[in-house]
Amino acid sequence: MTEPKIRAIVWGCGHMGQIIIKYLKDKGVELVGAIDRNVSRVGKDAGEISALKRSLGTFIHHPDEAKQVFHKANANVCIISTRSLMIDIYDSLETSARHGVNAITLAEEAFYPWNTSPDLTQKLDKLAKEHNCTLTGSGFQDVFLGNLISILAAGTHRIDRIQAIIQYNIDGYGSSVAAQYGVGLSVEAFKQQISGYTEPFPSWYMNEWLCAHLGLAIRTQKQEFWPITNIKTIHSTSLKTDISVGSVTGMKAVVTTETEKGVIIENQVLGKIYTPDEIDTYECTLVGEPTTTLTIHRPATAQMTCASLVNRLQHLIDAPPGFVTTDKMQPPNYWM
Amino acid sequence: MTEPKIRAIVWGCGHMGQIIIKYLKDKGVELVGAIDRNVSRVGKDAGEISALKRSLGTFIHHPDEAKQVFHKANANVCIISTRSLMIDIYDSLETSARHGVNAITLAEEAFYPWNTSPDLTQKLDKLAKEHNCTLTGSGFQDVFLGNLISILAAGTHRIDRIQAIIQYNIDGYGSSVAAQYGVGLSVEAFKQQISGYTEPFPSWYMNEWLCAHLGLAIRTQKQEFWPITNIKTIHSTSLKTDISVGSVTGMKAVVTTETEKGVIIENQVLGKIYTPDEIDTYECTLVGEPTTTLTIHRPATAQMTCASLVNRLQHLIDAPPGFVTTDKMQPPNYWM
């Protein structure tokens, strides 16, 4: 590394933050601060609770002490992996910006927040410019639902439709996610409680990013939620109960974007309780001339998510000040 | 398109050139010249013999008349799809450069010719600079064995090994390719005639490109050729004969690169006469943290090759003068 050493604050020391702390250490990034609102983590050594499983001498503070952490740390990046929406991570981004510290977050909305939270994003953009730092969102979607599709497109003569399908086992994500996906509901109850859900699904922002990156103006964008049921009783480990035949075991969330140039972008996420023969898959098809389907079986999504973010740190530092979404940055690259 | 119109000469009107001519027309590129050494094509309307199958009013000339074609055409790009080696395409690149016309070629060696043909490449680099134009190589490898792997790497924390495997049916490429792959030979004869082959296999240049792009210094690079035999008699349509049990039905060509940083790059090409159940595949695995395998079944290689090249035309025009390999250009993108 010829660049000055990166000094990072990790805000959010849950599953993702714990992997990120290890990756930072592996890359020679110094952990100079750690913040988490979970009281069971506050006061602990961030290295010890991380995937690294050894002391780094950096202790976890509650968000109420965030200003003191920033004041002491002399950080040049802050990595936020807490919540999904701009409104929920606004305070952490604002705190970072006010201290002139570049921030990057896994929050799905931050990947492309310009349309869904324009006011918050413009406020943060202004603040970041005033304090000469950059704010952005990254993660799995930056590489696998953004730049990878863009490169695949470069090997295609004519694109009519871009279709991404991701399937994952929601039993690995705790009971609140299972409930959010309607697991255990009847199909009727799913239709009443889930189908009309209006808050943008995470892939909403990914389609918007892709359109911005490919230079496609959006004509319409919609989301639909379809219940998935099973023909055999299956057990949910997260809900600790059997899901009976005909009940909902998960859902298919489809975000469809029509563009002015006629290209359709469709993102399908299938989150469900698996039967024994099912595996996680990532699949992307460009329909056109020629039609190409690219598949990744059993993607290690959590590791890919954290690696994608950590590999972006140098770009974050080098980017101009403001809220700069990654569609406006150079493509991500492997950082050795 | 806000850029001035692209005016292209197509040099080489075989299988690839014929697809390229259609793609150019679809993208609004004007075909202003066509050259082919095959006397059965000379004098024909390039549009009519192309995948477009209709007249473009541009007639095919023999390479002996290349200077006149360039003189008349007022082209700003020349697309060369004739042979694989720098020494074999040197004249066409030189002619293009002397006329100040940017040239892009499918020739495998031109993808990264710096180590295997340094003198020719430097001579062309100098000439292109003198005439203020750019020369480069592109094709399938630019997207699928170069930039796609680079993006996949950006979603990986630690790479130990990069392994690309391409399998294709050599029966689709005529009898000379089948002979080159040792089809019909005994294993003994294969070992004597093919195994020690020293001319770089096409993937040789792809590994070098990838190392240059990822910033990996090469320690060693080697190629090995292994015969593939079959347990059942199979028919070769290109050789119009049955291949008996135990005889060679194709080969596996492996180019392995060891880098100073310890990352190994291995490119395997399996070219063989297929049994009925076999299909073309492209597979790339990054072994590390995490390990990820990306697969494309039945890639439409010819279309991908031509699309990758045509999508590069604007970058070719925008690049600085000289021989500029695509590892030094911005990543390829879909051109609408």
PDB file of all heavy atoms in Angstrom, chain A residues 211-223:
ATOM      1  N   CYS A 211     -30.333   1.116 -13.779  1.00  0.00           N
ATOM      2  CA  CYS A 211     -30.802   2.047 -14.812  1.00  0.00           C
ATOM      3  C   CYS A 211     -29.876   3.259 -14.894  1.00  0.00           C
ATOM      4  O   CYS A 211     -29.503   3.696 -15.985  1.00  0.00           O
ATOM      5  CB  CYS A 211     -32.234   2.490 -14.517  1.00  0.00           C
ATOM      6  SG  CYS A 211     -33.435   1.187 -14.861  1.00  0.00           S
ATOM      7  N   ALA A 212     -29.498   3.796 -13.733  1.00  0.00           N
ATOM      8  CA  ALA A 212     -28.604   4.956 -13.721  1.00  0.00           C
ATOM      9  C   ALA A 212     -27.263   4.589 -14.358  1.00  0.00           C
ATOM     10  O   ALA A 212     -26.711   5.336 -15.165  1.00  0.00           O
ATOM     11  CB  ALA A 212     -28.395   5.453 -12.292  1.00  0.00           C
ATOM     12  N   HIS A 213     -26.760   3.415 -14.025  1.00  0.00           N
ATOM     13  CA  HIS A 213     -25.447   2.994 -14.514  1.00  0.00           C
ATOM     14  C   HIS A 213     -25.463   2.730 -16.014  1.00  0.00           C
ATOM     15  O   HIS A 213     -24.503   3.041 -16.719  1.00  0.00           O
ATOM     16  CB  HIS A 213     -25.019   1.734 -13.759  1.00  0.00           C
ATOM     17  CG  HIS A 213     -23.585   1.366 -13.959  1.00  0.00           C
ATOM     18  ND1 HIS A 213     -22.555   2.096 -13.420  1.00  0.00           N
ATOM     19  CD2 HIS A 213     -22.998   0.355 -14.639  1.00  0.00           C
ATOM     20  CE1 HIS A 213     -21.399   1.545 -13.758  1.00  0.00           C
ATOM     21  NE2 HIS A 213     -21.643   0.489 -14.505  1.00  0.00           N
ATOM     22  N   LEU A 214     -26.544   2.146 -16.501  1.00  0.00           N
ATOM     23  CA  LEU A 214     -26.633   1.816 -17.929  1.00  0.00           C
ATOM     24  C   LEU A 214     -27.169   2.984 -18.759  1.00  0.00           C
ATOM     25  O   LEU A 214     -27.259   2.886 -19.981  1.00  0.00           O
ATOM     26  CB  LEU A 214     -27.533   0.584 -18.138  1.00  0.00           C
ATOM     27  CG  LEU A 214     -27.040  -0.751 -17.559  1.00  0.00           C
ATOM     28  CD1 LEU A 214     -28.107  -1.830 -17.720  1.00  0.00           C
ATOM     29  CD2 LEU A 214     -25.742  -1.206 -18.234  1.00  0.00           C
ATOM     30  N   GLY A 215     -27.539   4.074 -18.084  1.00  0.00           N
ATOM     31  CA  GLY A 215     -28.057   5.228 -18.818  1.00  0.00           C
ATOM     32  C   GLY A 215     -29.471   5.010 -19.340  1.00  0.00           C
ATOM     33  O   GLY A 215     -29.833   5.502 -20.404  1.00  0.00           O
ATOM     34  N   LEU A 216     -30.273   4.252 -18.591  1.00  0.00           N
ATOM     35  CA  LEU A 216     -31.654   3.971 -18.988  1.00  0.00           C
ATOM     36  C   LEU A 216     -32.611   4.800 -18.132  1.00  0.00           C
ATOM     37  O   LEU A 216     -32.611   4.679 -16.906  1.00  0.00           O
ATOM     38  CB  LEU A 216     -31.963   2.481 -18.783  1.00  0.00           C
ATOM     39  CG  LEU A 216     -31.223   1.490 -19.684  1.00  0.00           C
ATOM     40  CD1 LEU A 216     -31.342   0.074 -19.135  1.00  0.00           C
ATOM     41  CD2 LEU A 216     -31.776   1.553 -21.105  1.00  0.00           C
ATOM     42  N   ALA A 217     -33.427   5.624 -18.771  1.00  0.00           N
ATOM     43  CA  ALA A 217     -34.425   6.399 -18.024  1.00  0.00           C
ATOM     44  C   ALA A 217     -35.591   5.486 -17.658  1.00  0.00           C
ATOM     45  O   ALA A 217     -36.052   4.696 -18.479  1.00  0.00           O
ATOM     46  CB  ALA A 217     -34.907   7.573 -18.865  1.00  0.00           C
ATOM     47  N   ILE A 218     -36.056   5.595 -16.416  1.00  0.00           N
ATOM     48  CA  ILE A 218     -37.138   4.731 -15.932  1.00  0.00           C
ATOM     49  C   ILE A 218     -38.495   5.296 -16.353  1.00  0.00           C
ATOM     50  O   ILE A 218     -38.769   6.477 -16.158  1.00  0.00           O
ATOM     51  CB  ILE A 218     -37.075   4.613 -14.392  1.00  0.00           C
ATOM     52  CG1 ILE A 218     -35.773   3.909 -13.977  1.00  0.00           C
ATOM     53  CG2 ILE A 218     -38.295   3.864 -13.843  1.00  0.00           C
ATOM     54  CD1 ILE A 218     -35.533   3.872 -12.480  1.00  0.00           C
ATOM     55  N   ARG A 219     -39.337   4.434 -16.933  1.00  0.00           N
ATOM     56  CA  ARG A 219     -40.700   4.843 -17.262  1.00  0.00           C
ATOM     57  C   ARG A 219     -41.623   4.481 -16.096  1.00  0.00           C
ATOM     58  O   ARG A 219     -42.337   5.317 -15.576  1.00  0.00           O
ATOM     59  CB  ARG A 219     -41.168   4.168 -18.556  1.00  0.00           C
ATOM     60  CG  ARG A 219     -42.561   4.628 -18.989  1.00  0.00           C
ATOM     61  CD  ARG A 219     -43.053   3.869 -20.212  1.00  0.00           C
ATOM     62  NE  ARG A 219     -42.213   4.138 -21.377  1.00  0.00           N
ATOM     63  CZ  ARG A 219     -42.186   3.375 -22.467  1.00  0.00           C
ATOM     64  NH1 ARG A 219     -42.938   2.294 -22.528  1.00  0.00           N
ATOM     65  NH2 ARG A 219     -41.418   3.685 -23.479  1.00  0.00           N
ATOM     66  N   THR A 220     -41.597   3.206 -15.686  1.00  0.00           N
ATOM     67  CA  THR A 220     -42.397   2.780 -14.531  1.00  0.00           C
ATOM     68  C   THR A 220     -41.597   1.770 -13.726  1.00  0.00           C
ATOM     69  O   THR A 220     -40.727   1.084 -14.259  1.00  0.00           O
ATOM     70  CB  THR A 220     -43.707   2.072 -14.957  1.00  0.00           C
ATOM     71  OG1 THR A 220     -43.357   0.835 -15.609  1.00  0.00           O
ATOM     72  CG2 THR A 220     -44.543   2.910 -15.883  1.00  0.00           C
ATOM     73  N   GLN A 221     -41.915   1.683 -12.439  1.00  0.00           N
ATOM     74  CA  GLN A 221     -41.313   0.642 -11.605  1.00  0.00           C
ATOM     75  C   GLN A 221     -42.375   0.179 -10.616  1.00  0.00           C
ATOM     76  O   GLN A 221     -43.092   0.994 -10.033  1.00  0.00           O
ATOM     77  CB  GLN A 221     -40.066   1.183 -10.890  1.00  0.00           C
ATOM     78  CG  GLN A 221     -39.327   0.119 -10.090  1.00  0.00           C
ATOM     79  CD  GLN A 221     -37.882   0.497  -9.763  1.00  0.00           C
ATOM     80  OE1 GLN A 221     -37.086   0.762 -10.661  1.00  0.00           O
ATOM     81  NE2 GLN A 221     -37.541   0.504  -8.492  1.00  0.00           N
ATOM     82  N   LYS A 222     -42.489  -1.135 -10.460  1.00  0.00           N
ATOM     83  CA  LYS A 222     -43.493  -1.666  -9.531  1.00  0.00           C
ATOM     84  C   LYS A 222     -42.928  -2.866  -8.779  1.00  0.00           C
ATOM     85  O   LYS A 222     -41.951  -3.481  -9.212  1.00  0.00           O
ATOM     86  CB  LYS A 222     -44.756  -2.080 -10.293  1.00  0.00           C
ATOM     87  CG  LYS A 222     -44.516  -3.213 -11.273  1.00  0.00           C
ATOM     88  CD  LYS A 222     -45.795  -3.771 -11.882  1.00  0.00           C
ATOM     89  CE  LYS A 222     -45.428  -4.898 -12.860  1.00  0.00           C
ATOM     90  NZ  LYS A 222     -46.564  -5.522 -13.499  1.00  0.00           N
ATOM     91  N   GLN A 223     -43.559  -3.174  -7.638  1.00  0.00           N
ATOM     92  CA  GLN A 223     -43.152  -4.367  -6.894  1.00  0.00           C
ATOM     93  C   GLN A 223     -44.374  -5.216  -6.592  1.00  0.00           C
ATOM     94  O   GLN A 223     -45.473  -4.713  -6.385  1.00  0.00           O
ATOM     95  CB  GLN A 223     -42.414  -3.991  -5.608  1.00  0.00           C
ATOM     96  CG  GLN A 223     -43.220  -3.149  -4.633  1.00  0.00           C
ATOM     97  CD  GLN A 223     -42.395  -2.737  -3.409  1.00  0.00           C
ATOM     98  OE1 GLN A 223     -41.174  -2.821  -3.410  1.00  0.00           O
ATOM     99  NE2 GLN A 223     -43.076  -2.313  -2.364  1.00  0.00           N
TER     100      GLN A 223
END
